[in-house]
Amino acid sequence: MEGGNIFEKILRKFSHFASLIIIVGYVVYWVELLFFKPSSHTSYFAAFFSLILLIFIFFRKDKYGVHGNNQEEKGFPKLIIYAGILLSAVVLLIGLYQSLLPPHLIQETDAFNYHITIPRQLLLQGSFAHIPWSVGDLYFLPVDFALAPYWLCTTLPNKIPQFVILLGLILVSCNLAKKIGSKSNLTSMLIVFAILGSQNVAIQSGTAMIDLVLCYLMIAALDSLLEGKVLQSALEFCFYFWSKSFMPVQNILILGILFLVILVLKKFNFKKINWSVDCPLPNEISLKKFFAWFVIFSIFVGGPFIYKSVKYAKTPLFPFFVGSLSSGESDSDDNKRTEALAKKAEQILKVKDDYDSDRSISAFLKHLWIVAVPEKDVNNRYDYPIGLVYLLCLGPFIAIILKGFKEKKVLLLPLFVVASWYVWWLGSHQSRYLYVPVILMIIIILSQKEFHRTILSVGLAVALALNALSLYRAYKNDFGKPALEILRDKDKQLLLLARDVKPGGAVELDFHDVAFAEFKVRATNYNSVFVLETP
């Protein structure tokens, strides 16, 4: 089928293009930060170079061929497929429209607080030195740095790279599904429907949030590893591993749990290790090579942020263990600053209990339902709902886990989902940190032909329809409006204020979320967890 072959070529050629965007952006940001004159904007070089790479990839001959035969599944209702394609297009078009607008939505708070604000203030400062008032400047921000050259090359900050990477997430998910299970075109279509039908994905599509970007990096790293591209996998995983301050701790815990579970299962005669149900582990995986490349890349991706955290917060992983590397001279300004940072860090770490602090067994069982559905208005106690697709996949996922136990197989990807969910349950209960396990669950289920049932596809179509309607209702007030008109009032004030600020000058403000400030800022709202009162 010609259409299937075209889609297959798209998967092979462009599924990891988003990784190139991130790598190019990261290098360009550092070059412009360290060697260019201080500025509130970046050049167009990252966007231009990425476009050149896209054209090169388009015309490059695909030396890898395709994933075997594109098997067709007969008897599947075409009406559902056509409806799914139409509804997916609607969701993507609304997301694309939103990505062309500057940040202004309530769910883009973190973009205002630090995702865009910190890279921009550092560019204005002209160095990587700590911004004295900013607590967020001590976070690990390699992905933020990588996207900043695209965000800040336009007159107003845009959200286009997040939308492009959402497309990348869809493509690598289809790719991974074909590697671990069915290679039919229907598998890819159902994956597309399921991802765009997931409420948590729809909520962030077209926004300035970066959780879907992080999800892409993890799924892409797995896809590259199964492809045998160890260097590429190590680099993608490296950006994921260092993307947030808590990610190294979280990932080490997940990998530790996986290792212990595998050891225990082997004691119970689980001799066969599979990636998933019908995808055995290769005889040789270059884990030593993977780890070696990961360490090398970490020097450049995580290293600068570790250095900054140690220098200014006396800990390798702010906000954890602040002051643990302190000299102990309590009367010095340096240690007074560390004490102030320790208090802010304590406030930051308490956020994990803002999204339901009950971690009992009964709460765990209840949350499997509650996390998916609205509880109050459009949200629930875990922030925004994951949605219907997760509920459709939960039963089949449990069935796959039980099948693995029955056949005495260690299923790595399903176990990774369980371990990730367990670590999430121990930490912050924000549903946006469940993207990776939820997307992996979708891939695992829909890669198996036995679950390609009409009733499941109808559920996916309903989820897509609900998302399309929800997005239209959420963003309809933005349609047709000029970019300046939809901005927050304080952002309009920042743009007006920029006209009167002398080049290189700094302005004292009583708020810290200054993504639109084209000048250096000194924030004084010391009650905020993001603002530090320096000695």
Side-chain angles (χ1 to χ4, degrees):
M1 184 177 178
E2 186 62 28
N5 289 333
I6 292 172
F7 185 71
E8 184 71 19
K9 289 177 182 178
I10 291 172
L11 285 182
R12 299 294 301 186
K13 281 177 172 284
F14 301 109
S15 55
H16 290 263
F17 173 69
S19 299
L20 292 176
I21 288 176
I22 291 168
I23 295 163
V24 169
Y26 189 68
V27 173
V28 168
Y29 180 83
W30 277 107
V31 170
E32 298 199 10
L33 175 66
L34 299 178
F35 301 108
F36 283 30
K37 292 173 65 175
S39 173
S40 61
H41 290 79
T42 57
S43 70
Y44 285 100
F45 181 80
F48 177 76
F49 191 71
S50 295
L51 181 60
I52 295 296
L53 287 175
L54 182 65
I55 295 170
F56 172 77
I57 293 168
F58 180 80
F59 287 105
R60 183 189 63 181
K61 186 176 180 181
D62 187 2
K63 63 181 179 179
Y64 295 105
V66 295
H67 293 301
N69 296 320
N70 283 312
Q71 309 147 5
E72 296 300 323
E73 295 183 36
K74 297 179 180 179
F76 201 86
K78 289 187 177 181
L79 179 61
I80 295 174
I81 294 175
Y82 294 146
I85 292 172
L86 177 63
L87 291 168
S88 296
V90 171
V91 171
L92 285 173
L93 285 172
I94 295 175
L96 174 62
Y97 182 86
Q98 187 58 235
S99 73
L100 299 174
L101 299 175
H104 64 286
L105 303 168
I106 190 170
Q107 63 263 41
E108 295 174 326
T109 302
D110 284 351
F112 293 114
N113 286 336
Y114 55 91
H115 289 323
I116 299 175
T117 293
I118 300 306
R120 192 168 208 177
Q121 285 295 305
L122 288 173
L123 285 172
L124 285 160
Q125 180 177 270
S127 78
F128 186 58
H130 177 47
I131 301 168
W133 59 266
S134 176
V135 175
D137 181 41
L138 294 174
Y139 288 173
F140 281 48
L141 304 171
V143 175
D144 310 63
F145 279 24
L147 299 182
Y150 307 100
W151 291 335
L152 300 176
C153 69
T154 48
T155 305
L156 298 176
N158 67 81
K159 304 171 285 188
I160 297 171
Q162 284 96 318
F163 181 79
V164 174
I165 294 171
L166 168 60
L167 298 180
L169 172 62
I170 293 170
L171 292 178
V172 293
S173 298
C174 293
N175 237 8
L176 184 57
K178 285 180 177 256
K179 287 186 177 75
I180 66 172
S182 170
K183 294 174 175 54
S184 71
N185 295 322
L186 181 60
T187 297
S188 296
M189 287 190 178
L190 293 178
I191 293 283
V192 174
F193 300 164
I195 291 176
L196 295 176
S198 295
Q199 190 171 348
N200 55 345
V201 173
I203 287 170
Q204 284 206 10
S205 64
T207 72
M209 301 303 289
I210 67 168
D211 299 289
L212 287 173
V213 178
L214 307 190
C215 182
Y216 161 80
L217 285 166
M218 185 64 213
I219 304 300
L222 286 169
D223 183 56
S224 295
L225 189 61
L226 268 70
E227 187 79 28
K229 298 177 180 178
V230 176
L231 185 149
Q232 180 173 302
S233 177
L235 184 53
E236 289 164 337
F237 181 69
C238 186
F239 272 100
Y240 176 74
F241 187 90
W242 297 109
S243 59
K244 291 179 179 287
S245 302
F246 66 83
M247 290 296 264
V249 177
Q250 174 180 294
N251 282 290
I252 289 169
L253 282 173
I254 291 170
L255 294 174
I257 290 170
L258 272 178
F259 180 73
L260 289 174
V261 169
I262 291 171
L263 284 181
V264 171
L265 290 177
K266 282 194 170 184
K267 293 286 186 183
F268 286 90
N269 209 28
F270 281 68
K271 293 180 179 179
K272 194 167 185 179
I273 300 180
N274 281 15
W275 281 113
S276 189
V277 179
D278 299 317
C279 183
L281 212 61
N283 293 329
E284 290 186 11
I285 297 181
S286 304
L287 289 181
K288 288 183 180 179
K289 186 178 177 183
F290 176 92
F291 182 72
W293 279 117
F294 171 78
V295 171
I296 292 169
F297 292 139
S298 291
I299 295 170
F300 302 99
V301 176
F305 302 96
I306 295 174
Y307 167 79
K308 194 174 204 175
S309 183
V310 169
K311 183 176 181 179
Y312 296 103
K314 306 300 184 258
T315 174
L317 285 175
F318 180 84
F320 303 99
F321 317 114
V322 174
S324 59
L325 303 178
S326 180
S327 63
E329 298 175 8
S330 59
D331 58 341
S332 70
D333 285 346
D334 195 34
N335 279 322
K336 288 178 182 177
R337 181 183 183 82
T338 303
E339 289 174 8
L341 273 172
K343 291 178 182 177
K344 293 293 183 181
E346 188 178 348
Q347 294 176 41
I348 293 168
L349 294 176
K350 283 182 178 178
V351 170
K352 75 182 183 67
D353 293 326
D354 290 349
Y355 298 88
D356 191 65
S357 58
D358 190 354
R359 288 172 174 80
S360 64
I361 294 175
S362 62
F364 179 83
L365 295 173
K366 290 177 183 177
H367 101 280
L368 294 173
W369 167 261
I370 295 173
V371 75
V373 297
E375 194 176 20
K376 184 180 180 182
D377 297 326
V378 295
N379 286 356
N380 58 41
R381 68 189 73 177
Y382 304 107
D383 206 0
Y384 40 77
I386 296 175
L388 174 61
V389 173
Y390 149 77
L391 291 175
L392 292 171
C393 291
L394 182 59
F397 179 76
I398 294 171
I400 280 180
I401 292 284
L402 295 176
K403 182 179 180 181
F405 273 87
K406 184 179 179 181
E407 297 177 356
K408 289 194 175 292
K409 292 179 182 177
V410 177
L411 305 179
L412 285 180
L413 291 181
L415 284 179
F416 181 85
V417 171
V418 174
S420 299
W421 207 292
Y422 177 67
V423 171
W424 171 82
W425 182 253
L426 296 178
S428 173
H429 281 177
Q430 288 180 267
S431 59
R432 65 193 182 98
Y433 297 137
L434 285 173
Y435 278 108
V436 170
V438 168
I439 297 298
L440 268 180
M441 185 187 296
I442 289 170
I443 292 169
I444 291 164
I445 298 308
L446 296 180
S447 67
Q448 303 302 306
K449 276 188 176 182
E450 63 185 287
F451 298 118
H452 293 181
R453 305 289 179 85
T454 301
I455 188 168
L456 176 63
S457 60
V458 169
L460 296 180
V462 170
L464 271 169
L466 291 174
N467 275 353
L469 179 61
S470 176
L471 287 175
Y472 173 77
R473 292 174 62 185
Y475 300 148
K476 65 180 180 181
N477 291 332
D478 292 341
F479 294 157
K481 289 186 178 179
L484 286 172
E485 187 177 331
I486 63 173
L487 297 182
R488 303 180 307 170
D489 288 340
K490 66 170 68 174
D491 295 325
K492 294 176 183 177
Q493 293 169 15
L494 287 171
L495 293 174
L496 291 173
L497 190 58
R499 301 174 182 176
D500 302 321
V501 179
K502 295 180 180 179
V507 177
E508 193 172 279
L509 296 172
D510 62 353
F511 57 94
H512 63 278
D513 46 339
V514 291
F516 285 80
E518 298 179 359
F519 46 83
K520 287 189 286 187
V521 168
R522 291 193 303 269
T524 59
N525 54 322
Y526 301 122
N527 290 330
S528 168
V529 72
F530 292 103
V531 181
L532 183 70
E533 186 172 9
T534 55

